[in-house]
Amino acid sequence: MDPPRHTKIRRLLGGLFTPRRMEESEDFLWRLADRQIDEFLTTGTVEVLHGFAQPFALLTIADLLGVPETDHDDFRRHLLAQQVGALSEGEALATNPLDYLDTKFTTYLTDRRTHPQDDVLGALAAATYPDGQLPEVVELVRLATFLFGAGQDTTARLITAGIRHLAETPDLQAALRADHTLIGDFVEELLRMDGPVKGDFRLTRTTTELAGRTVPAGTVVMVLPGAANRDPARFEDPHTFDLGRVNAREHVAFGRGVHTCPGGPLARIEGRIAIERFLDRTTTLTINADRHGPVGRRSYRYEPTYILRGLAELHVDFTPAD
Ligand code: HEM
């Protein structure tokens, strides 16, 4: 979507990403991280993507949008339905996650249009375009659905990549266990080295010169943030994970320009809290060698997609903290 329509729609998101909203999200995220970890802590082993990172990222967006906590389990059941046994066979066949979101948000927002409420959904229902016009409910529903698409899997893959780095690199893990203030820098370097968005796509509307090349109108351009983030002209020794890298924040994992990711601040908070709680609730963390092979001969499966760089699964072992 291009301006001016894009500017108008994006403005509706304004109230969701204020510093105050981020603080409220943070309070919820500490509780949520612990709740997720409680589910597997005593077993000493977990598949990180489905057992921790996905439900964590999903319920973060639900909370951001003001979905009542009483509905969270239902959201999880329907939106992470691929989890074994989450839905019965009949339910799974009948469940299209987009239909589910559509129905839920149409109900929430229509209800708040008729009975205004002082909550996040109420504010979204009352939000207006810059010209003061009230959007159709369907536009808001689309936006809410889009946030689940944009903000869930991305963050889930980032957290999973982070746990893998820590489990593979004992020195790094020890440093973060000893000093939690380093976790912010860790997340930043993780975004640079292992950012979950593999490709952003653009369609040229006019013939354009780019870095000395002519790109004809109508060309689909695939922008690769991961390649830019490992540009040796920008980042010294770019393939090394360097916790002390001074310019790590110059990465483009969240894009640039008018479409830059509005969820970046939230994703950073999620990454920091998820990693911090995982380290606090465990005393050791290692890769499960039965599933991924021994040190030096590891094998990891990535999702076969051009859009996302993400592990398809990650099995780790740990010792629960007392
Ligand atoms: C590690 C996590 C995340 C990464 C790496 C990421 C990355 C990106 C990138 C690269 C873009 C720009 C795409 C483009 O220019 O074509 C983008 C856009 C977007 N992201 Fe994120 N994102 C993350 C998390 C989130 C979260 C948590 C949310 C919401 C809660 C979110 C919402 C959005 C939205 C709405 C857009 C579209 C913005 C626009 O077109 O104006 N993202 N994201």
Side-chain angles (χ1 to χ4, degrees), residues 21-30 269 272-273:
R21 239 354 247 135
M22 290 302 99
E23 268 176 39
E24 289 166 354
S25 286
E26 183 155 349
D27 290 344
F28 171 75
L29 289 179
W30 290 111
I269 296 172
R272 182 167 51 76
I273 292 178

Side-chain angles (χ1 to χ4, degrees), residues 145-213:
T145 309
F146 184 73
L147 287 187
F148 278 93
Q152 186 210 322
D153 217 16
T154 41
T155 315
R157 307 292 171 160
L158 181 76
I159 293 169
T160 308
I163 301 282
R164 180 175 77 93
H165 271 282
L166 293 176
E168 283 284 23
T169 330
D171 292 357
L172 194 61
Q173 188 185 140
L176 263 55
R177 284 190 186 279
D179 182 357
H180 286 356
T181 63
L182 298 174
I183 296 177
D185 291 342
F186 172 75
V187 170
E188 227 43 61
E189 180 68 344
L190 188 64
L191 281 159
R192 185 191 71 80
M193 283 279 290
D194 241 341
V197 171
K198 190 188 278 180
D200 293 330
F201 296 87
R202 294 291 186 275
L203 177 72
T204 48
R205 299 177 67 176
T206 52
T207 298
T208 307
E209 280 290 320
L210 194 62
R213 299 185 74 142

